[in-house]
Amino acid sequence: MSVEKLVVIGQGYVGLPLAMRAVEAGMDVVGLDVDTDRVKKLASGESFVEDIPADRLGRALASGRYRPSAEYPDAEGFDVCVITVPTPLRDGTPDLSYVEQAGVGIGPYVRPGCAVVLESTTYPGTTEELLRPLLESASGLRSPGDFHLGYSPERIDPGNPTWRLENTPKVVSGVDAESLVRVDEFYRRIVTRTVPVASTRVAELTKLIENTFRQVNIALINELTMLSHHLGIDVWQAIEAAETKPFGFMPFRPGPGVGGHCLPIDPCYLSWQVKRRLGRQFRFIELANDVNHEMPEHVTQRIMAGLNRTGRAVSGARLLLLGLAYKKNTGDMRDSPAVEVVRRLHDLGAEVRAVEPYAEPHQIPGGVLVVPLTEQEVAAADAVVVVTDHDVFDYDIVTRRARYVFDTRNRCSGPAVERL
Ligand SMILES: NC(=O)c1ccc[n+]([C@@H]2O[C@H](COP(=O)([O-])OP(=O)(O)OC[C@H]3O[C@@H](n4cnc5c(N)ncnc54)[C@H](O)[C@@H]3O)[C@@H](O)[C@H]2O)c1
């Protein structure tokens, strides 16, 4: 059976690209989101996701096959529903309330033969232990048996021009063989390659392995960076040399800390469940979190020491931060380590200005003046700090005009530049 009507619950960084791609694959798509403002903007052709330009959204709307909506009744008669709602942490504990609300909202529209797929990142067991009972009790149907149910982790990498939704292999799973076939069939219309796995738990764990791997390796290189600084060795040169090894090594780069919706959060879903189920600690994750949390303080200390060497105190100094988002070429400020760096610098009495072309004004931390990247701004700053290395920045201005640069991303060179 081919999918005619798809409902995507959540029209954010994950849900909107999926909805667009499905429209392009010929499906009728309802993009459900409880954020009525977001729905209105989408309906008027305004995209807030950098990877979805307004003209792509415009084409989807013009096709008549994409309808943003805040009303669950618009899901009526769906063939496939994909849930892409947030899964944050609340005081260190997984907050699955959005998944629960989505399950309760879509449950009444579940009908025999349809398929529901969870994409939100979560701990193993969520699809079968949390989502399934909600769908079953709201619909009076069973899965497996009446409707299909599966899990497919998202691998969206915002701002990555090479690996997009459609050409990144997609892991798919189902609660039984039939569900797997159905889920796989759907995603084969969306992406070039699917990777079927034996159970929803394996698929859920796959995502957590991927993100925990990144979190732990970034922490490893961050800790090594702090230690190398004290040893007087340039870690960037060592990484560059190590990456010439053609096997058994994968380079990770240091930075001011980790941020976003995934790395600081997803591994905690795993350690939380390990603690709950096994009463044990997932030590690598705890350690990685600790190290990565140290980075904003380390960056602040290094800026302070750098200013000191130029004869300036951080108190009263004018600092220009380049980039505030957690990730380059995006405006995503969620859990950005830049916010922590700014807070510390403010506490120390610095005047903080920032160049951040992507983030929306309401996301900018209080007390930060957003300015353009000009020769005057750079020359007037006591220190320029490269926090997020957006490609649009003119680093040449920085190297030519800055008195002192603290570069956390290895983008600048020259006598005034100090690297993390
Ligand atoms: N952003 C990424 O790069 C990325 C990558 C991989 C996985 N993920 C995972 O995907 C999931 C979604 O992340 P995101 O970045 O798209 O989040 P997002 O905040 O950009 O979008 C989620 C959307 O869901 C909406 N929403 C919340 N509750 C709802 C409900 N009950 N019904 C309908 N809409 C609802 C919100 O209003 C929001 O617009 C998370 O679990 C995240 O961990 C994200």
Side-chain angles (χ1 to χ4, degrees):
M1 180 183 125
S2 70
V3 176
E4 297 310 327
K5 179 166 177 175
L6 168 71
V7 174
V8 182
I9 305 184
Q11 290 294 277
Y13 283 92
V14 171
L16 186 60
L18 175 65
M20 294 298 102
R21 181 75 191 133
V23 169
E24 288 153 12
M27 300 177 207
D28 278 327
V29 181
V30 173
L32 266 186
D33 203 297
V34 286
D35 183 339
T36 47
D37 246 20
R38 193 163 267 196
V39 168
K40 270 190 214 140
K41 283 186 180 157
L42 287 172
S44 69
E46 199 181 316
S47 167
F48 50 88
V49 173
E50 296 82 14
D51 295 333
I52 304 294
D55 61 336
R56 190 169 174 205
L57 173 61
R59 279 197 300 278
L61 290 163
S63 75
R65 283 186 287 101
Y66 174 57
R67 182 151 57 112
S69 164
E71 306 295 331
Y72 271 87
D74 286 334
E76 179 84 53
F78 75 83
D79 301 299
V80 173
C81 167
V82 181
I83 300 174
T84 68
V85 296
T87 44
L89 284 174
R90 196 87 48 211
D91 299 326
T93 302
D95 174 5
L96 287 167
S97 58
Y98 300 98
V99 175
E100 286 169 357
Q101 285 156 20
V104 168
I106 199 69
Y109 305 99
V110 168
R111 57 195 180 116
C114 79
V116 179
V117 187
L118 180 62
E119 281 204 8
S120 302
T121 305
T122 183
Y123 58 79
T126 307
T127 307
E128 299 195 21
E129 291 160 20
L130 183 122
L131 183 60
R132 174 163 60 188
L134 293 172
L135 299 174
E136 288 184 341
S137 75
S139 65
L141 300 172
R142 293 281 162 266
S143 182
D146 301 323
F147 67 95
H148 308 296
L149 179 61
Y151 180 82
S152 177
E154 187 42 63
R155 284 173 165 167
I156 278 227
D157 185 18
N160 187 331
T162 310
W163 294 107
R164 302 173 311 279
L165 168 64
E166 56 272 29
N167 65 354
T168 305
K170 192 123 174 58
V171 172
V172 294
S173 69
V175 294
D176 67 337
E178 260 188 61
S179 288
L180 176 58
V181 167
R182 187 77 183 93
V183 172
D184 186 49
E185 194 181 83
F186 163 68
Y187 282 109
R188 276 200 274 134
R189 291 181 63 188
I190 301 286
V191 299
T192 45
R193 185 180 157 216
T194 57
V195 182
V197 296
S199 70
T200 55
R201 283 182 180 77
V202 169
E204 288 160 336
L205 184 61
T206 303
K207 173 71 187 178
L208 295 181
I209 293 178
E210 291 167 10
N211 282 356
T212 302
F213 175 83
R214 264 191 80 67
Q215 166 83 333
V216 167
N217 279 289
I218 290 170
L220 171 70
I221 217 71
N222 277 341
E223 186 167 39
L224 190 60
T225 300
M226 292 188 276
L227 297 173
S228 301
H229 167 66
H230 295 300
L231 292 171
I233 306 169
D234 185 335
V235 78
W236 298 92
Q237 289 182 18
I239 298 169
E240 248 173 60
E243 80 182 297
T244 60
K245 186 178 179 187
F247 50 88
F249 183 79
M250 184 183 285
F252 284 81
R253 322 258 174 226
V258 296
H261 197 315
C262 295
L263 290 196
I265 294 171
D266 302 348
C268 301
Y269 268 66
L270 193 50
S271 59
W272 177 85
Q273 203 210 26
V274 166
K275 203 170 281 168
R276 188 178 65 138
R277 283 283 167 91
L278 308 176
R280 293 175 62 166
Q281 269 202 334
F282 199 143
R283 290 167 298 170
F284 266 102
I285 292 177
E286 314 283 334
L287 181 61
N289 288 345
D290 282 353
V291 171
N292 288 334
H293 281 147
E294 266 181 61
M295 291 313 290
E297 177 59 23
H298 176 78
V299 167
T300 310
Q301 292 296 329
R302 296 278 302 273
I303 296 168
M304 226 159 78
L307 278 169
N308 194 42
R309 279 196 301 280
T310 67
R312 284 291 279 143
V314 70
S315 177
R318 176 164 158 177
L319 304 184
L320 181 65
L321 269 51
L322 299 192
L324 295 172
Y326 88 89
K327 188 167 196 230
K328 76 175 192 170
N329 302 338
T330 82
D332 196 341
M333 291 289 298
R334 292 178 293 183
D335 279 306
S336 174
V339 176
E340 279 301 302
V341 173
V342 166
R343 191 178 60 74
R344 286 171 163 80
L345 292 172
H346 274 156
D347 286 351
L348 292 166
E351 180 200 336
V352 182
R353 296 176 173 225
V355 187
E356 179 43 79
Y358 296 113
E360 289 173 27
H362 71 268
Q363 297 175 300
I364 303 295
V368 174
L369 182 65
V370 176
V371 294
L373 179 54
T374 60
E375 306 239 348
Q376 292 79 346
E377 280 295 338
V378 171
D382 293 299
V384 176
V385 183
V386 181
V387 180
T388 315
D389 57 334
H390 295 313
D391 290 332
V392 290
F393 289 155
D394 184 347
Y395 294 99
D396 191 43
I397 296 185
V398 178
T399 359
R400 275 192 293 106
R401 301 300 309 268
R403 274 178 257 169
Y404 167 67
V405 182
F406 186 68
D407 182 0
T408 70
R409 304 287 186 175
N410 193 21
R411 279 301 281 258
C412 302
S413 54
V417 178
E418 184 188 350
R419 292 191 288 192
L420 177 66

